[in-house]
Amino acid sequence: MTALALAAGLFSGLIGAMGLGGGTVLMMYLALFTKTPQLTAQGINLLFFLPIGLLAVTRYAQKQTIRWKTVLPIAAGGLLGAVPGIFSATAFGGGVTAKIFGGFLIVLGIKEIVCKRKKT
Amino acid sequence: MCFGHANKGESMKKRKWMWREIGGGAAIGFINGFLGAGGGMLAVPLLRGTGLSQKEAHANAVAVILPITALSAGIYLWRGQVAFSQAAVYMPAGLAGAWLGTGLMQKISGEWLRRIFGGLMIYAGVRLLLR
């Protein structure tokens, strides 16, 4: 367990708990500093998030920040989408879909920074 | 490219089934299962579209992604693509980070959260394009 691995875990947990996409940090660490195959890295990232997400949601729920009536239908749809998502990952191995999603994220990110909102 | 969200509170009452939430959720689940990450990044704009503030959207995105991640992680485990011990080594540091992050959420402004989020999205997007 190197200091770098600890830092990757710490920052991934911090960013993930804030809903900022913590997976990005751990996946980057795994890709750059370990020889983990892509699908295993994805599995590590998913497992890693479970206690982090649980802790974060518990703390947010204590402050009544969680709107279950909105969260539950989205999560229900998410469960339906997750299964075909995982099976296509092994069938296509990333590739084009990952790039399309990458382009989409860049557009969303630019919007996020450029567009002012009344309610932040 | 900047468009405002119409009066969502009103339209929510009229709809019996929340197709946008379920459909958006399905897209989130698909991406999260496919890439093993990234679903939460999609959840934030969707949640804000339902009338949540920036901070609320981020907190609720974690709640959205948690059950989806649990299912996805279960399938990865079942298919033997990962072992629990491979992830467990990062968990103590991750939990410490999560504690700090949820605390930081009380202090950070929505405006800064939005800027940091935008930057991280662009970064994640570039990484995916170069992968």
Side-chain angles (χ1 to χ4, degrees), chain A residues 65 67 70 119, chain B residues 47-54 56-57 60:
Chain A
T65 326
R67 304 257 182 104
T70 310
K119 205 180 171 189
Chain B
L47 284 162
R48 224 172 24 212
T50 67
L52 269 63
S53 75
Q54 187 79 24
E56 287 170 336
N60 283 275

Side-chain angles (χ1 to χ4, degrees), chain A residues 98-103 106, chain B residues 124-131:
Chain A
K99 291 201 193 305
I100 294 169
F101 184 62
I106 293 170
Chain B
V126 170
R127 265 193 55 83
L128 278 175
L129 282 181
L130 297 178
R131 193 172 93 180

Side-chain angles (χ1 to χ4, degrees), chain B residues 68-86:
Chain B
I68 300 171
T69 304
L71 175 67
S72 304
I75 299 175
Y76 273 74
L77 273 176
W78 171 63
R79 302 182 88 196
Q81 274 151 348
V82 66
F84 183 77
S85 58
Q86 289 176 289

Side-chain angles (χ1 to χ4, degrees), chain A residues 1 5-6 9-10 13-21 23-24 26-32 34 38-40 42-57 59-60 63 65-71 73-75 77-79 81-90 92-95 97-99 101-117 119-120, chain B residues 1-3 18 21-22 25-26 28-38 41-42 44 46-48 50-54 56 58-60 62-73 75-79 81-84 86-87 89-91 93-106 108 110-111 113-129 131:
Chain A
M1 199 70 189
L6 280 174
L10 185 81
L14 195 153
I15 292 172
M18 294 179 78
L20 289 166
T24 310
L26 190 58
M27 298 275 267
M28 182 188 71
Y29 167 78
L30 290 170
L32 294 179
T34 69
Q38 180 63 27
L39 280 176
T40 307
Q42 294 183 187
I44 291 174
N45 191 46
L46 289 167
L47 281 169
F48 167 80
F49 186 73
L50 297 179
I52 277 83
L54 198 63
L55 174 72
V57 171
R59 289 195 80 192
Y60 291 139
K63 291 172 187 115
T65 326
I66 306 296
R67 304 257 182 104
W68 294 110
K69 276 177 84 176
T70 310
V71 165
I74 302 178
L79 293 177
V83 179
I86 293 164
F87 285 90
S88 357
T90 22
F92 307 113
T97 313
K99 291 201 193 305
F101 184 62
F104 187 59
L105 274 184
I106 293 170
V107 174
L108 281 180
I110 293 169
K111 274 190 65 155
E112 203 63 50
I113 290 171
V114 172
C115 300
K116 293 243 170 174
R117 285 186 181 82
K119 205 180 171 189
T120 54
Chain B
M1 66 187 259
C2 302
F3 50 88
M18 295 183 265
E21 281 80 357
I22 295 170
I28 290 167
F30 186 88
I31 286 295
N32 210 57
F34 192 91
L35 299 173
M41 284 198 159
L42 282 182
V44 170
L46 181 71
L47 284 162
R48 224 172 24 212
T50 67
L52 269 63
S53 75
Q54 187 79 24
E56 287 170 336
H58 282 268
N60 283 275
V62 181
V64 163
I65 212 65
L66 185 60
I68 300 171
T69 304
L71 175 67
S72 304
I75 299 175
Y76 273 74
L77 273 176
W78 171 63
R79 302 182 88 196
Q81 274 151 348
V82 66
F84 183 77
Q86 289 176 289
V89 289
Y90 302 102
M91 285 177 185
L95 280 169
W99 187 267
L100 291 174
T102 45
L104 188 61
M105 196 70 141
Q106 309 304 312
I108 197 169
E111 190 72 4
L113 199 59
R114 185 173 65 82
R115 288 186 191 135
I116 294 168
F117 183 51
L120 283 167
M121 268 180 140
I122 295 169
Y123 171 76
V126 170
R127 265 193 55 83
L128 278 175
L129 282 181
R131 193 172 93 180

